[in-house]
Amino acid sequence: MRALLVIDIQNDFCPGGALAVAGGDEIVTRVSALMTEFEAVVLTQDWHPSDHSSFASSHPGKGPFESVEMPYGEQTLWPDHCVQGSEGANFHPALNTDRADLIVRKGFRAAIDSYSAFFENDRTTPTGIDGYLRTRGITDLVLVGLATDFCVNYSAQDAAKLGYTVTVREDLCRAIDLGGSLNAARADMAARGVIIQS
Ligand code: VGL
Ligand code: ZN
């Protein structure tokens, strides 16, 4: 059984948003159209409290795209984005949310970020999605969404580690590409056995 996992197609990651990914809006109509081909469709939604520790604004003297050392390791700092209940946290209006079987919110604890749909950034705290997919008999995942080199990348690697057959549709993803992060993500995903389809 095959599921489409749609990562963070939210207003803040699209042009005009707080953490805009170039071309983020270009993929949305095609992602919505692709949903009909899958037994299951799961959406993720980046969902931060306004004082989230991944926001540069929570670290005096630090700016967006710098990094800090957190108890769980290095954390890149971002502009405030996807604040719970805000317009920026809403899904892009062209995303067919009606077709979603499940919506997984992540990054809702102030002290820890969660790029991956499966585990928070300590790489051990589960979001619960693995239980849902497994108990529904899902074995194969196709990932699309934003951003290729962060949340798609982390989700794809975790899914492969958990034993799913994972394909990333790069044509239906867009990247932030911070300091070579896109090429690093491609190499790391490939090393985990993720199929990258352009
Ligand atoms: C993301 C940075 C911060 C993503 C989320 O969806 O890739 N990136 N929060
Ligand atoms: Zn975030």
Side-chain angles (χ1 to χ4, degrees), residues 8 10 12-13 17-20 45-70 72 74-86 88-89 106-115 121 151:
D8 297 0
Q10 294 166 257
D12 269 344
F13 296 122
L19 180 40
Q45 190 172 27
D46 212 37
W47 193 250
H48 300 309
S50 59
D51 61 346
H52 196 253
S53 57
S54 78
F55 296 170
S57 61
S58 300
H59 302 266
K62 291 281 185 180
F65 312 110
E66 293 181 41
S67 62
V68 289
E69 204 56 44
M70 300 287 278
Y72 54 84
E74 194 183 340
Q75 171 69 50
T76 302
L77 298 177
W78 305 105
D80 292 20
H81 65 278
C82 297
V83 173
Q84 296 170 359
S86 69
K106 59 183 182 63
F108 49 75
R109 289 189 184 91
I112 183 166
D113 205 0
S114 186
Y115 293 149
N121 282 12
C151 291

Coordinates of all heavy atoms in Angstrom, one line a residue, residues 8 10 12-13 17-20 45-70 72 74-86 88-89 106-115 121 151:
D8 N 4.5 20.2 4.5 CA 4.5 21.6 4.8 C 4.2 22.5 3.6 O 4.9 23.5 3.4 CB 5.9 22.0 5.4 CG 6.2 21.3 6.7 OD1 5.3 20.5 7.2 OD2 7.3 21.5 7.3
Q10 N 2.5 25.2 3.1 CA 1.9 26.2 3.9 C 2.2 27.6 3.3 O 3.3 27.8 2.7 CB 2.3 26.1 5.3 CG 1.8 24.8 6.0 CD 2.6 24.5 7.3 OE1 3.5 23.7 7.3 NE2 2.2 25.2 8.4
D12 N 3.5 30.3 4.6 CA 4.8 30.9 5.0 C 5.9 30.3 4.2 O 7.0 31.0 4.1 CB 5.0 30.7 6.5 CG 4.5 31.9 7.3 OD1 4.2 32.9 6.7 OD2 4.4 31.8 8.5
F13 N 5.8 29.2 3.6 CA 6.9 28.6 2.7 C 6.7 28.9 1.3 O 7.4 28.4 0.4 CB 7.0 27.1 2.9 CG 7.3 26.7 4.4 CD1 6.5 25.9 5.1 CD2 8.5 27.1 4.9 CE1 6.8 25.5 6.4 CE2 8.8 26.8 6.2 CZ 8.0 26.0 7.0
G17 N 5.5 34.6 1.9 CA 5.4 34.1 3.2 C 6.7 34.5 4.0 O 7.7 35.0 3.5
A18 N 6.7 34.1 5.3 CA 7.7 34.5 6.2 C 9.0 33.8 6.0 O 10.1 34.3 6.2 CB 7.3 34.3 7.6
L19 N 9.0 32.6 5.4 CA 10.2 31.8 5.1 C 10.0 31.2 3.7 O 9.9 30.0 3.5 CB 10.3 30.7 6.2 CG 11.5 29.7 6.1 CD1 12.8 30.3 5.7 CD2 11.7 29.0 7.5
A20 N 9.8 32.1 2.8 CA 9.4 31.8 1.4 C 10.5 30.9 0.8 O 11.7 31.2 0.8 CB 9.2 33.0 0.6
Q45 N 2.0 19.7 8.8 CA 1.8 21.1 9.0 C 2.8 21.6 10.1 O 2.7 21.2 11.2 CB 0.4 21.4 9.4 CG 0.0 22.8 9.4 CD -1.5 23.0 9.7 OE1 -2.2 22.2 10.2 NE2 -2.1 24.1 9.2
D46 N 3.8 22.4 9.7 CA 4.7 23.0 10.6 C 3.9 24.0 11.5 O 3.1 24.8 11.0 CB 5.7 23.8 9.8 CG 7.1 23.9 10.4 OD1 7.5 22.9 11.0 OD2 7.8 25.0 10.3
W47 N 4.0 23.8 12.9 CA 3.0 24.4 13.8 C 3.7 24.9 15.0 O 3.7 24.1 16.0 CB 1.9 23.3 14.0 CG 0.7 23.7 14.6 CD1 0.3 23.5 15.9 CD2 -0.4 24.5 14.0 NE1 -1.0 24.0 16.1 CE2 -1.4 24.6 15.0 CE3 -0.6 25.1 12.8 CZ2 -2.6 25.3 14.7 CZ3 -1.7 25.8 12.5 CH2 -2.7 25.9 13.5
H48 N 4.2 26.1 15.0 CA 5.1 26.5 16.1 C 4.4 27.5 17.1 O 3.7 28.4 16.6 CB 6.3 27.3 15.6 CG 7.2 26.4 14.7 ND1 7.7 25.2 15.0 CD2 7.7 26.7 13.4 CE1 8.4 24.7 14.0 NE2 8.4 25.6 13.1
P49 N 4.6 27.4 18.4 CA 4.2 28.5 19.3 C 5.0 29.8 19.0 O 6.1 29.7 18.4 CB 4.6 28.0 20.7 CG 5.6 26.9 20.4 CD 5.4 26.4 19.1
S50 N 4.5 30.9 19.3 CA 5.1 32.2 18.9 C 6.5 32.4 19.5 O 7.3 33.2 19.1 CB 4.2 33.4 19.2 OG 3.9 33.4 20.6
D51 N 6.8 31.7 20.6 CA 8.1 31.8 21.2 C 9.0 30.6 20.9 O 9.9 30.2 21.7 CB 8.0 31.9 22.8 CG 7.3 30.7 23.4 OD1 6.7 29.9 22.7 OD2 7.4 30.6 24.6
H52 N 8.8 30.0 19.7 CA 9.5 28.8 19.4 C 11.1 29.0 19.4 O 11.5 30.0 18.9 CB 9.1 28.2 18.1 CG 9.5 26.8 17.9 ND1 10.4 26.4 17.0 CD2 9.0 25.7 18.5 CE1 10.6 25.1 17.1 NE2 9.7 24.6 17.9
S53 N 11.8 28.0 19.9 CA 13.3 28.1 20.0 C 14.0 28.0 18.6 O 15.2 28.3 18.6 CB 13.8 27.0 20.9 OG 13.4 25.7 20.4
S54 N 13.3 27.7 17.6 CA 13.9 27.7 16.2 C 13.8 29.1 15.6 O 14.4 29.3 14.5 CB 13.3 26.7 15.3 OG 12.0 27.2 14.8
F55 N 13.2 30.1 16.3 CA 13.0 31.4 15.8 C 14.2 32.2 16.2 O 14.6 32.3 17.4 CB 11.8 32.1 16.2 CG 10.5 31.5 15.8 CD1 9.3 31.9 16.3 CD2 10.4 30.5 14.8 CE1 8.1 31.3 15.9 CE2 9.2 29.9 14.3 CZ 8.0 30.3 14.9
A56 N 14.9 32.9 15.3 CA 16.0 33.8 15.6 C 15.6 34.8 16.7 O 16.3 35.2 17.6 CB 16.6 34.5 14.4
S57 N 14.3 35.2 16.6 CA 13.8 36.2 17.6 C 13.8 35.7 19.0 O 13.7 36.5 19.9 CB 12.4 36.6 17.2 OG 11.5 35.5 17.2
S58 N 13.9 34.4 19.2 CA 14.0 33.9 20.6 C 15.5 33.9 21.1 O 15.7 33.4 22.2 CB 13.5 32.5 20.6 OG 12.2 32.4 20.2
H59 N 16.4 34.3 20.3 CA 17.9 34.3 20.6 C 18.5 35.7 20.4 O 19.0 36.0 19.3 CB 18.6 33.2 19.8 CG 18.0 31.9 19.9 ND1 18.5 31.0 20.8 CD2 17.0 31.3 19.3 CE1 17.8 29.8 20.8 NE2 16.9 30.0 19.8
P60 N 18.5 36.5 21.5 CA 19.0 37.9 21.4 C 20.4 37.8 20.8 O 21.2 37.0 21.2 CB 19.0 38.4 22.8 CG 18.0 37.6 23.5 CD 18.0 36.2 22.8
G61 N 20.7 38.7 19.8 CA 22.0 38.8 19.2 C 22.1 37.9 18.0 O 23.2 38.0 17.3
K62 N 21.2 37.0 17.8 CA 21.3 36.1 16.6 C 20.3 36.5 15.5 O 19.2 37.1 15.8 CB 20.9 34.7 17.1 CG 22.0 34.0 18.0 CD 23.1 33.5 17.2 CE 24.1 32.8 18.1 NZ 25.3 32.3 17.2
G63 N 20.6 36.2 14.3 CA 19.8 36.5 13.2 C 19.3 35.2 12.5 O 19.9 34.1 12.7
P64 N 18.3 35.4 11.6 CA 17.9 34.2 10.8 C 19.0 33.6 10.0 O 19.9 34.3 9.5 CB 16.8 34.8 9.9 CG 16.3 36.0 10.6 CD 17.5 36.6 11.4
F65 N 19.0 32.3 9.9 CA 19.9 31.5 9.1 C 21.3 31.3 9.8 O 22.2 30.7 9.2 CB 20.1 32.0 7.6 CG 18.7 32.3 7.0 CD1 18.3 33.6 6.7 CD2 17.9 31.2 6.7 CE1 17.0 33.8 6.2 CE2 16.6 31.4 6.2 CZ 16.2 32.7 5.9
E66 N 21.5 31.9 11.0 CA 22.6 31.6 11.8 C 22.2 30.3 12.6 O 21.1 29.8 12.4 CB 22.9 32.7 12.8 CG 23.4 34.0 12.1 CD 23.7 35.1 13.2 OE1 24.3 34.8 14.2 OE2 23.4 36.2 12.9
S67 N 23.1 29.8 13.4 CA 22.7 28.6 14.1 C 23.1 28.7 15.6 O 24.0 29.5 16.0 CB 23.3 27.3 13.5 OG 24.7 27.4 13.5
V68 N 22.5 27.9 16.4 CA 22.8 27.8 17.8 C 22.9 26.3 18.2 O 22.5 25.4 17.5 CB 21.7 28.4 18.7 CG1 21.7 29.9 18.6 CG2 20.4 27.8 18.4
E69 N 23.6 26.1 19.3 CA 23.7 24.8 19.9 C 22.6 24.6 20.9 O 22.4 25.3 21.8 CB 25.1 24.6 20.6 CG 25.6 23.2 20.7 CD 25.7 22.5 19.4 OE1 26.2 23.1 18.4 OE2 25.3 21.3 19.3
M70 N 21.8 23.6 20.6 CA 20.7 23.2 21.5 C 21.0 21.9 22.2 O 22.0 21.2 21.8 CB 19.4 23.0 20.7 CG 18.9 24.2 19.9 SD 18.2 25.5 20.9 CE 16.6 24.9 21.1
Y72 N 19.9 19.1 22.0 CA 19.8 18.0 21.0 C 20.7 18.2 19.8 O 20.7 17.3 18.9 CB 18.4 17.8 20.5 CG 17.7 19.0 20.0 CD1 17.9 19.4 18.6 CD2 16.9 19.8 20.7 CE1 17.3 20.5 18.1 CE2 16.3 20.9 20.2 CZ 16.5 21.3 18.9 OH 15.9 22.4 18.3
E74 N 23.0 20.9 16.9 CA 22.9 22.2 16.2 C 21.6 22.5 15.6 O 20.9 21.6 15.0 CB 24.0 22.2 15.1 CG 24.3 23.6 14.6 CD 25.3 23.7 13.4 OE1 26.0 22.7 13.2 OE2 25.3 24.7 12.7
Q75 N 21.1 23.7 15.8 CA 19.8 24.1 15.2 C 19.9 25.4 14.4 O 20.5 26.4 14.9 CB 18.8 24.4 16.4 CG 17.5 25.0 16.0 CD 16.6 24.0 15.2 OE1 16.4 22.9 15.6 NE2 16.1 24.5 14.1
T76 N 19.5 25.3 13.2 CA 19.5 26.5 12.3 C 18.3 27.4 12.8 O 17.3 26.9 13.2 CB 19.2 26.2 10.9 OG1 20.3 25.3 10.4 CG2 19.2 27.4 10.0
L77 N 18.6 28.7 12.8 CA 17.6 29.7 13.3 C 16.8 30.3 12.1 O 17.4 30.5 11.0 CB 18.2 30.8 14.1 CG 18.9 30.4 15.4 CD1 19.6 31.5 16.1 CD2 17.9 29.7 16.3
W78 N 15.5 30.4 12.2 CA 14.7 30.9 11.1 C 13.9 32.1 11.5 O 13.8 32.5 12.6 CB 13.7 29.7 10.8 CG 14.3 28.4 10.6 CD1 14.3 27.3 11.4 CD2 15.0 28.0 9.4 NE1 15.0 26.3 10.8 CE2 15.4 26.7 9.6 CE3 15.3 28.6 8.2 CZ2 16.1 25.9 8.6 CZ3 16.0 27.9 7.2 CH2 16.4 26.6 7.5
P79 N 13.5 32.8 10.4 CA 12.5 33.9 10.7 C 11.3 33.3 11.4 O 11.0 32.1 11.2 CB 12.1 34.5 9.4 CG 13.1 33.8 8.4 CD 13.6 32.6 9.0
D80 N 10.5 34.1 12.2 CA 9.3 33.5 12.8 C 8.4 33.1 11.6 O 8.2 33.8 10.6 CB 8.5 34.7 13.5 CG 9.2 35.2 14.7 OD1 10.4 34.9 14.9 OD2 8.5 35.8 15.6
H81 N 7.9 31.8 11.7 CA 7.1 31.3 10.6 C 6.1 30.2 11.2 O 6.4 29.7 12.2 CB 8.0 30.6 9.6 CG 8.7 29.4 10.1 ND1 9.9 29.5 10.8 CD2 8.5 28.1 10.1 CE1 10.3 28.3 11.2 NE2 9.4 27.4 10.8
C82 N 5.1 30.0 10.5 CA 4.1 28.9 10.8 C 3.7 29.0 12.3 O 3.7 28.0 13.0 CB 4.6 27.6 10.4 SG 4.9 27.4 8.6
V83 N 3.4 30.2 12.7 CA 2.9 30.3 14.1 C 1.5 29.8 14.2 O 0.7 30.1 13.3 CB 3.0 31.8 14.5 CG1 2.4 32.0 15.9 CG2 4.5 32.3 14.6
Q84 N 1.3 29.0 15.2 CA 0.0 28.3 15.4 C -1.2 29.3 15.3 O -1.2 30.3 15.9 CB -0.1 27.7 16.8 CG 1.0 26.6 17.0 CD 1.1 26.1 18.4 OE1 0.4 26.6 19.3 NE2 2.0 25.1 18.6
G85 N -2.1 29.0 14.4 CA -3.3 29.8 14.2 C -3.2 31.0 13.2 O -4.1 31.7 13.0
S86 N -1.9 31.2 12.8 CA -1.7 32.4 11.9 C -2.1 32.0 10.4 O -2.1 30.8 10.0 CB -0.3 32.8 12.0 OG 0.6 31.9 11.4
G88 N -0.1 32.5 8.0 CA 1.1 31.8 7.4 C 1.2 30.3 7.6 O 1.8 29.6 6.9
A89 N 0.5 29.9 8.7 CA 0.6 28.5 9.0 C -0.5 27.7 8.3 O -0.5 26.5 8.2 CB 0.3 28.3 10.5
K106 N 3.6 19.4 13.6 CA 4.9 19.1 14.2 C 5.6 20.5 14.5 O 5.3 21.5 14.0 CB 5.8 18.3 13.2 CG 6.0 19.0 11.9 CD 6.8 18.2 10.9 CE 7.0 18.9 9.6 NZ 7.8 20.1 9.7
G107 N 6.5 20.4 15.5 CA 7.2 21.6 15.9 C 6.4 22.4 16.9 O 6.6 23.6 17.1
F108 N 5.5 21.7 17.6 CA 4.6 22.4 18.5 C 5.1 22.6 19.9 O 4.5 23.3 20.7 CB 3.2 21.8 18.5 CG 3.2 20.3 18.8 CD1 3.5 19.8 20.0 CD2 3.0 19.4 17.7 CE1 3.5 18.4 20.2 CE2 3.0 18.0 17.9 CZ 3.3 17.5 19.2
R109 N 6.3 22.0 20.2 CA 6.9 22.2 21.5 C 8.0 23.3 21.4 O 8.8 23.2 20.5 CB 7.6 20.9 22.0 CG 6.6 19.8 22.4 CD 7.4 18.7 23.1 NE 6.5 17.6 23.4 CZ 6.2 16.6 22.5 NH1 6.8 16.5 21.4 NH2 5.3 15.7 22.8
A110 N 7.9 24.3 22.3 CA 8.8 25.5 22.1 C 10.2 25.1 22.2 O 11.1 25.7 21.5 CB 8.4 26.5 23.2
A111 N 10.6 24.1 22.9 CA 12.0 23.8 23.2 C 12.7 23.0 22.1 O 13.9 22.8 22.1 CB 12.2 23.1 24.5
I112 N 11.9 22.4 21.2 CA 12.5 21.6 20.2 C 11.8 21.7 18.8 O 10.6 21.8 18.7 CB 12.5 20.1 20.7 CG1 13.2 19.1 19.7 CG2 11.0 19.6 21.0 CD1 13.4 17.7 20.2
D113 N 12.7 21.7 17.8 CA 12.1 21.8 16.4 C 11.8 20.4 15.9 O 12.3 19.4 16.5 CB 13.2 22.5 15.5 CG 12.5 23.2 14.3 OD1 11.2 23.1 14.2 OD2 13.2 23.8 13.5
S114 N 11.1 20.3 14.8 CA 10.8 19.0 14.2 C 10.7 19.2 12.7 O 9.7 19.6 12.2 CB 9.5 18.5 14.7 OG 9.2 17.2 14.3
Y115 N 11.8 18.9 12.0 CA 11.8 19.0 10.6 C 11.1 17.7 10.0 O 10.3 17.8 9.1 CB 13.2 18.9 10.0 CG 14.1 20.2 10.3 CD1 15.5 20.1 10.5 CD2 13.5 21.4 10.4 CE1 16.3 21.2 10.7 CE2 14.3 22.6 10.6 CZ 15.7 22.4 10.8 OH 16.5 23.5 11.0
N121 N 13.6 17.0 16.3 CA 15.0 17.1 16.0 C 16.0 16.5 16.9 O 17.2 16.4 16.6 CB 15.4 18.6 15.8 CG 14.9 19.1 14.4 OD1 14.1 18.5 13.7 ND2 15.3 20.3 14.0
C151 N 12.6 19.8 5.6 CA 11.6 18.8 6.1 C 11.4 17.6 5.2 O 11.1 16.5 5.7 CB 10.3 19.6 6.4 SG 10.5 20.7 7.8

